[in-house]
Short mmCIF file of all heavy atoms in Angstrom, two decimals:
data_model
loop_
_atom_site.label_atom_id
_atom_site.label_comp_id
_atom_site.label_asym_id
_atom_site.label_seq_id
_atom_site.Cartn_x
_atom_site.Cartn_y
_atom_site.Cartn_z
N LYS A 196 -79.59 14.30 -64.57
CA LYS A 196 -78.49 15.20 -65.00
C LYS A 196 -77.32 14.89 -64.20
O LYS A 196 -77.33 14.31 -63.20
CB LYS A 196 -78.99 16.67 -64.71
CG LYS A 196 -80.24 17.16 -65.49
CD LYS A 196 -80.52 18.53 -65.21
CE LYS A 196 -80.79 18.84 -63.70
NZ LYS A 196 -81.20 20.19 -63.45
N ASP A 197 -76.19 15.33 -64.85
CA ASP A 197 -74.86 15.02 -64.15
C ASP A 197 -74.67 15.78 -62.76
O ASP A 197 -74.05 15.29 -61.90
CB ASP A 197 -73.76 15.44 -65.03
CG ASP A 197 -73.42 14.38 -66.10
OD1 ASP A 197 -73.85 13.19 -65.92
OD2 ASP A 197 -72.92 14.74 -67.22
N THR A 198 -75.24 17.01 -62.84
CA THR A 198 -75.08 17.86 -61.60
C THR A 198 -76.40 18.66 -61.43
O THR A 198 -77.19 18.85 -62.34
CB THR A 198 -73.95 18.80 -61.82
OG1 THR A 198 -74.11 19.73 -62.86
CG2 THR A 198 -72.63 18.06 -61.94
N PRO A 199 -76.59 19.17 -60.09
CA PRO A 199 -77.70 20.09 -59.88
C PRO A 199 -77.58 21.31 -60.67
O PRO A 199 -76.37 21.77 -61.10
CB PRO A 199 -77.62 20.29 -58.36
CG PRO A 199 -76.83 19.21 -57.84
CD PRO A 199 -75.81 18.82 -58.90
N ASP A 200 -78.58 22.11 -60.85
CA ASP A 200 -78.51 23.34 -61.53
C ASP A 200 -77.49 24.24 -60.79
O ASP A 200 -77.62 24.35 -59.56
CB ASP A 200 -79.94 24.08 -61.63
CG ASP A 200 -80.89 23.30 -62.50
OD1 ASP A 200 -80.34 22.60 -63.42
OD2 ASP A 200 -82.02 23.40 -62.35
N GLY A 201 -76.70 25.06 -61.48
CA GLY A 201 -75.70 25.95 -60.87
C GLY A 201 -74.52 25.29 -60.43
O GLY A 201 -73.55 26.01 -59.98
N LYS A 202 -74.28 24.07 -60.56
CA LYS A 202 -73.09 23.33 -60.23
C LYS A 202 -72.46 22.69 -61.40
O LYS A 202 -73.22 22.11 -62.24
CB LYS A 202 -73.42 22.34 -59.09
CG LYS A 202 -72.23 21.47 -58.69
CD LYS A 202 -72.59 20.41 -57.70
CE LYS A 202 -71.47 19.54 -57.28
NZ LYS A 202 -71.81 18.46 -56.39
N GLU A 203 -71.22 22.79 -61.58
CA GLU A 203 -70.61 22.33 -62.76
C GLU A 203 -69.89 21.01 -62.50
O GLU A 203 -69.54 20.67 -61.44
CB GLU A 203 -69.62 23.35 -63.36
CG GLU A 203 -68.55 23.72 -62.38
CD GLU A 203 -67.63 24.76 -62.97
OE1 GLU A 203 -66.77 24.49 -63.73
OE2 GLU A 203 -67.94 26.04 -62.60
N PHE A 204 -69.76 20.26 -63.60
CA PHE A 204 -69.07 18.96 -63.48
C PHE A 204 -67.60 19.17 -63.87
O PHE A 204 -67.23 19.60 -64.91
CB PHE A 204 -69.67 17.98 -64.61
CG PHE A 204 -69.20 16.54 -64.56
CD1 PHE A 204 -69.63 15.67 -63.48
CD2 PHE A 204 -68.21 16.22 -65.36
CE1 PHE A 204 -69.14 14.42 -63.52
CE2 PHE A 204 -67.67 14.83 -65.38
CZ PHE A 204 -68.12 13.91 -64.43
N ILE A 205 -66.72 18.83 -62.96
CA ILE A 205 -65.31 19.10 -63.02
C ILE A 205 -64.60 17.95 -63.55
O ILE A 205 -64.70 16.87 -62.99
CB ILE A 205 -64.72 19.55 -61.62
CG1 ILE A 205 -65.47 20.82 -61.07
CG2 ILE A 205 -63.19 19.78 -61.75
CD1 ILE A 205 -65.03 21.11 -59.64
N ARG A 206 -63.86 18.18 -64.61
CA ARG A 206 -63.19 17.13 -65.30
C ARG A 206 -61.71 17.10 -65.01
O ARG A 206 -61.15 18.21 -64.55
CB ARG A 206 -63.44 17.19 -66.88
CG ARG A 206 -64.92 16.90 -67.26
CD ARG A 206 -65.12 17.32 -68.69
NE ARG A 206 -66.42 16.79 -69.17
CZ ARG A 206 -67.59 17.42 -68.89
NH1 ARG A 206 -67.65 18.44 -68.18
NH2 ARG A 206 -68.70 16.87 -69.39
N PRO A 207 -61.03 16.04 -65.17
CA PRO A 207 -59.54 16.03 -64.92
C PRO A 207 -58.84 16.95 -65.93
O PRO A 207 -59.42 17.20 -67.06
CB PRO A 207 -59.14 14.55 -65.23
CG PRO A 207 -60.45 13.84 -65.15
CD PRO A 207 -61.52 14.75 -65.61
N LYS A 208 -57.59 17.34 -65.57
CA LYS A 208 -56.82 18.18 -66.50
C LYS A 208 -56.45 17.40 -67.72
O LYS A 208 -56.45 17.99 -68.79
CB LYS A 208 -55.50 18.61 -65.72
CG LYS A 208 -55.71 19.60 -64.63
CD LYS A 208 -54.34 19.80 -63.95
CE LYS A 208 -54.44 20.74 -62.77
NZ LYS A 208 -53.11 21.01 -62.15
N ARG A 209 -56.03 16.12 -67.57
CA ARG A 209 -55.75 15.31 -68.65
C ARG A 209 -56.31 13.96 -68.51
O ARG A 209 -56.55 13.52 -67.43
CB ARG A 209 -54.22 15.17 -68.75
CG ARG A 209 -53.45 16.52 -68.86
CD ARG A 209 -51.94 16.31 -69.05
NE ARG A 209 -51.64 15.73 -70.34
CZ ARG A 209 -50.47 15.54 -70.78
NH1 ARG A 209 -49.44 15.81 -69.99
NH2 ARG A 209 -50.19 15.05 -72.04
N THR A 210 -56.65 13.33 -69.64
CA THR A 210 -57.29 11.98 -69.56
C THR A 210 -56.28 10.92 -70.14
O THR A 210 -55.32 11.34 -70.73
CB THR A 210 -58.59 11.98 -70.41
OG1 THR A 210 -58.32 12.36 -71.72
CG2 THR A 210 -59.54 12.96 -69.81
N GLY A 211 -56.61 9.68 -69.80
CA GLY A 211 -55.74 8.66 -70.22
C GLY A 211 -55.07 7.82 -69.05
O GLY A 211 -54.77 6.67 -69.19
N ALA A 212 -54.92 8.52 -68.00
CA ALA A 212 -54.41 7.85 -66.74
C ALA A 212 -54.79 8.77 -65.60
O ALA A 212 -55.00 9.92 -65.62
CB ALA A 212 -52.91 7.64 -66.86
N LEU A 213 -54.63 8.24 -64.32
CA LEU A 213 -54.93 8.93 -63.14
C LEU A 213 -53.87 10.02 -62.87
O LEU A 213 -52.70 9.57 -62.96
CB LEU A 213 -55.12 7.93 -61.96
CG LEU A 213 -55.31 8.51 -60.50
CD1 LEU A 213 -56.72 9.29 -60.59
CD2 LEU A 213 -55.33 7.38 -59.56
N GLU A 214 -54.20 11.15 -62.48
CA GLU A 214 -53.25 12.20 -62.10
C GLU A 214 -52.73 11.88 -60.72
O GLU A 214 -53.48 11.43 -59.91
CB GLU A 214 -53.86 13.58 -62.08
CG GLU A 214 -54.51 14.01 -63.41
CD GLU A 214 -55.36 15.39 -63.17
OE1 GLU A 214 -55.11 16.01 -62.13
OE2 GLU A 214 -56.27 15.61 -63.96
N VAL A 215 -51.47 12.14 -60.54
CA VAL A 215 -50.88 12.06 -59.14
C VAL A 215 -50.11 13.42 -58.81
O VAL A 215 -50.00 14.25 -59.70
CB VAL A 215 -49.82 10.90 -59.04
CG1 VAL A 215 -50.67 9.62 -59.25
CG2 VAL A 215 -48.73 11.00 -60.10
N SER A 216 -49.72 13.53 -57.53
CA SER A 216 -49.19 14.77 -57.10
C SER A 216 -47.72 14.74 -56.75
O SER A 216 -47.12 15.85 -56.54
CB SER A 216 -49.94 15.17 -55.84
OG SER A 216 -51.41 15.22 -56.09
N SER A 217 -47.12 13.63 -56.77
CA SER A 217 -45.64 13.58 -56.48
C SER A 217 -45.00 12.41 -57.17
O SER A 217 -45.72 11.46 -57.65
CB SER A 217 -45.37 13.49 -54.94
OG SER A 217 -45.81 12.15 -54.53
N TRP A 218 -43.64 12.46 -57.16
CA TRP A 218 -42.94 11.33 -57.86
C TRP A 218 -43.09 9.99 -57.11
O TRP A 218 -43.13 8.92 -57.63
CB TRP A 218 -41.39 11.71 -57.80
CG TRP A 218 -41.15 12.84 -58.80
CD1 TRP A 218 -40.82 14.11 -58.38
CD2 TRP A 218 -41.12 12.88 -60.19
NE1 TRP A 218 -40.58 14.86 -59.43
CE2 TRP A 218 -40.81 14.18 -60.66
CE3 TRP A 218 -41.33 11.98 -61.16
CZ2 TRP A 218 -40.74 14.63 -61.88
CZ3 TRP A 218 -41.24 12.25 -62.53
CH2 TRP A 218 -40.94 13.57 -62.90
N GLY A 219 -43.22 10.13 -55.65
CA GLY A 219 -43.45 8.85 -54.91
C GLY A 219 -44.85 8.29 -55.28
O GLY A 219 -45.02 7.11 -55.32
N ASP A 220 -45.83 9.19 -55.43
CA ASP A 220 -47.20 8.78 -55.80
C ASP A 220 -47.22 8.13 -57.16
O ASP A 220 -47.97 7.14 -57.36
CB ASP A 220 -48.24 9.99 -55.77
CG ASP A 220 -48.50 10.48 -54.26
OD1 ASP A 220 -48.04 9.74 -53.39
OD2 ASP A 220 -49.23 11.42 -54.21
N LEU A 221 -46.34 8.57 -58.12
CA LEU A 221 -46.35 8.04 -59.52
C LEU A 221 -45.81 6.55 -59.27
O LEU A 221 -46.34 5.70 -59.90
CB LEU A 221 -45.30 8.80 -60.29
CG LEU A 221 -45.07 8.30 -61.63
CD1 LEU A 221 -46.31 8.34 -62.54
CD2 LEU A 221 -43.93 9.11 -62.36
N ALA A 222 -44.80 6.36 -58.47
CA ALA A 222 -44.32 4.96 -58.26
C ALA A 222 -45.38 4.06 -57.67
O ALA A 222 -45.52 2.94 -58.01
CB ALA A 222 -43.12 5.00 -57.37
N GLN A 223 -46.13 4.67 -56.68
CA GLN A 223 -47.19 3.85 -56.06
C GLN A 223 -48.30 3.48 -57.09
O GLN A 223 -48.80 2.40 -57.03
CB GLN A 223 -47.84 4.64 -54.90
CG GLN A 223 -46.96 4.84 -53.66
CD GLN A 223 -47.69 5.46 -52.57
OE1 GLN A 223 -48.72 5.02 -52.07
NE2 GLN A 223 -47.13 6.62 -52.15
N LEU A 224 -48.62 4.43 -58.06
CA LEU A 224 -49.73 4.20 -58.95
C LEU A 224 -49.29 3.07 -59.88
O LEU A 224 -50.11 2.21 -60.15
CB LEU A 224 -49.99 5.43 -59.71
CG LEU A 224 -50.91 5.30 -61.03
CD1 LEU A 224 -52.23 4.78 -60.56
CD2 LEU A 224 -51.11 6.69 -61.69
N ILE A 225 -48.02 3.05 -60.31
CA ILE A 225 -47.52 2.01 -61.16
C ILE A 225 -47.57 0.67 -60.41
O ILE A 225 -48.00 -0.39 -60.97
CB ILE A 225 -46.10 2.27 -61.73
CG1 ILE A 225 -46.13 3.50 -62.64
CG2 ILE A 225 -45.58 1.10 -62.35
CD1 ILE A 225 -44.77 3.96 -63.05
N PHE A 226 -47.16 0.69 -59.13
CA PHE A 226 -47.10 -0.53 -58.26
C PHE A 226 -48.58 -1.13 -58.21
O PHE A 226 -48.72 -2.34 -58.35
CB PHE A 226 -46.55 -0.23 -56.92
CG PHE A 226 -46.77 -1.32 -55.97
CD1 PHE A 226 -45.79 -2.37 -55.91
CD2 PHE A 226 -47.70 -1.37 -55.00
CE1 PHE A 226 -45.88 -3.39 -54.99
CE2 PHE A 226 -47.89 -2.33 -54.03
CZ PHE A 226 -47.07 -3.34 -54.05
N TRP A 227 -49.54 -0.26 -57.96
CA TRP A 227 -50.88 -0.80 -57.80
C TRP A 227 -51.53 -1.11 -59.14
O TRP A 227 -52.54 -1.77 -59.08
CB TRP A 227 -51.73 0.23 -57.07
CG TRP A 227 -51.51 0.33 -55.61
CD1 TRP A 227 -50.74 1.16 -54.90
CD2 TRP A 227 -52.02 -0.50 -54.58
NE1 TRP A 227 -50.71 0.92 -53.60
CE2 TRP A 227 -51.51 -0.09 -53.33
CE3 TRP A 227 -52.92 -1.65 -54.54
CZ2 TRP A 227 -51.92 -0.76 -52.19
CZ3 TRP A 227 -53.27 -2.25 -53.36
CH2 TRP A 227 -52.72 -1.84 -52.17
N THR A 228 -50.99 -0.67 -60.29
CA THR A 228 -51.54 -1.09 -61.48
C THR A 228 -51.23 -2.47 -61.97
O THR A 228 -51.98 -3.20 -62.57
CB THR A 228 -51.03 -0.10 -62.60
OG1 THR A 228 -51.43 1.19 -62.25
CG2 THR A 228 -51.48 -0.45 -64.01
N LEU A 229 -50.02 -2.92 -61.51
CA LEU A 229 -49.52 -4.31 -61.96
C LEU A 229 -50.46 -5.41 -61.66
O LEU A 229 -50.68 -6.36 -62.40
CB LEU A 229 -48.09 -4.50 -61.46
CG LEU A 229 -47.06 -3.54 -62.01
CD1 LEU A 229 -45.66 -3.86 -61.37
CD2 LEU A 229 -46.88 -3.73 -63.50
N PRO A 230 -51.00 -5.46 -60.33
CA PRO A 230 -51.88 -6.62 -60.02
C PRO A 230 -53.10 -6.76 -60.81
O PRO A 230 -53.79 -7.83 -60.93
CB PRO A 230 -52.16 -6.37 -58.45
CG PRO A 230 -51.05 -5.54 -58.01
CD PRO A 230 -50.65 -4.64 -59.07
N LEU A 231 -53.57 -5.67 -61.42
CA LEU A 231 -54.81 -5.72 -62.27
C LEU A 231 -54.56 -6.56 -63.39
O LEU A 231 -55.33 -7.44 -63.80
CB LEU A 231 -55.21 -4.29 -62.67
CG LEU A 231 -55.47 -3.26 -61.67
CD1 LEU A 231 -55.73 -1.96 -62.23
CD2 LEU A 231 -56.61 -3.76 -60.74
N GLY A 232 -53.32 -6.55 -64.04
CA GLY A 232 -52.95 -7.48 -65.15
C GLY A 232 -52.76 -8.81 -64.61
O GLY A 232 -53.08 -9.84 -65.28
N GLY A 233 -52.14 -8.97 -63.41
CA GLY A 233 -51.83 -10.23 -62.86
C GLY A 233 -53.21 -11.00 -62.61
O GLY A 233 -53.19 -12.23 -62.85
N ALA A 234 -54.27 -10.32 -62.18
CA ALA A 234 -55.57 -11.06 -61.98
C ALA A 234 -56.00 -11.63 -63.27
O ALA A 234 -56.69 -12.73 -63.37
CB ALA A 234 -56.55 -10.17 -61.30
N LEU A 235 -55.93 -10.84 -64.35
CA LEU A 235 -56.38 -11.22 -65.67
C LEU A 235 -55.50 -12.52 -66.18
O LEU A 235 -56.16 -13.44 -66.64
CB LEU A 235 -56.24 -10.19 -66.70
CG LEU A 235 -57.25 -9.03 -66.61
CD1 LEU A 235 -56.82 -7.88 -67.57
CD2 LEU A 235 -58.70 -9.51 -66.87
N ALA A 236 -54.27 -12.47 -65.89
CA ALA A 236 -53.46 -13.64 -66.22
C ALA A 236 -53.83 -14.88 -65.38
O ALA A 236 -53.84 -15.97 -66.00
CB ALA A 236 -52.01 -13.28 -66.04
N LEU A 237 -54.22 -14.65 -64.14
CA LEU A 237 -54.66 -15.82 -63.32
C LEU A 237 -55.99 -16.37 -63.86
O LEU A 237 -56.20 -17.60 -63.88
CB LEU A 237 -54.85 -15.27 -61.86
CG LEU A 237 -55.10 -16.38 -60.85
CD1 LEU A 237 -53.93 -17.31 -60.82
CD2 LEU A 237 -55.27 -15.69 -59.42
N SER A 238 -56.88 -15.54 -64.32
CA SER A 238 -58.16 -16.01 -64.96
C SER A 238 -57.89 -16.86 -66.15
O SER A 238 -58.52 -17.86 -66.39
CB SER A 238 -59.00 -14.82 -65.22
OG SER A 238 -59.47 -14.05 -64.07
N ALA A 239 -57.00 -16.34 -67.06
CA ALA A 239 -56.58 -17.14 -68.14
C ALA A 239 -56.00 -18.51 -67.86
O ALA A 239 -56.29 -19.49 -68.44
CB ALA A 239 -55.65 -16.21 -69.01
N TRP A 240 -55.16 -18.42 -66.84
CA TRP A 240 -54.58 -19.71 -66.31
C TRP A 240 -55.62 -20.72 -65.83
O TRP A 240 -55.48 -21.93 -66.16
CB TRP A 240 -53.56 -19.40 -65.21
CG TRP A 240 -52.91 -20.58 -64.60
CD1 TRP A 240 -51.92 -21.36 -65.10
CD2 TRP A 240 -53.26 -21.21 -63.31
NE1 TRP A 240 -51.62 -22.36 -64.22
CE2 TRP A 240 -52.44 -22.30 -63.08
CE3 TRP A 240 -54.21 -20.85 -62.32
CZ2 TRP A 240 -52.55 -23.08 -61.90
CZ3 TRP A 240 -54.28 -21.56 -61.19
CH2 TRP A 240 -53.51 -22.72 -60.95
#
Side-chain angles (χ1 to χ4, degrees):
K196 298 184 298 185
D197 284 334
T198 61
D200 293 335
K202 180 182 176 184
E203 57 185 279
F204 186 81
I205 302 173
R206 291 169 169 82
K208 292 179 181 178
R209 304 184 69 179
T210 58
L213 181 62
E214 302 170 21
V215 295
S216 303
S217 70
W218 296 102
D220 287 355
L221 178 64
Q223 289 185 62
L224 174 57
I225 293 172
F226 171 81
W227 282 99
T228 298
L229 296 177
L231 301 179
L235 287 173
L237 188 59
S238 296
W240 174 78

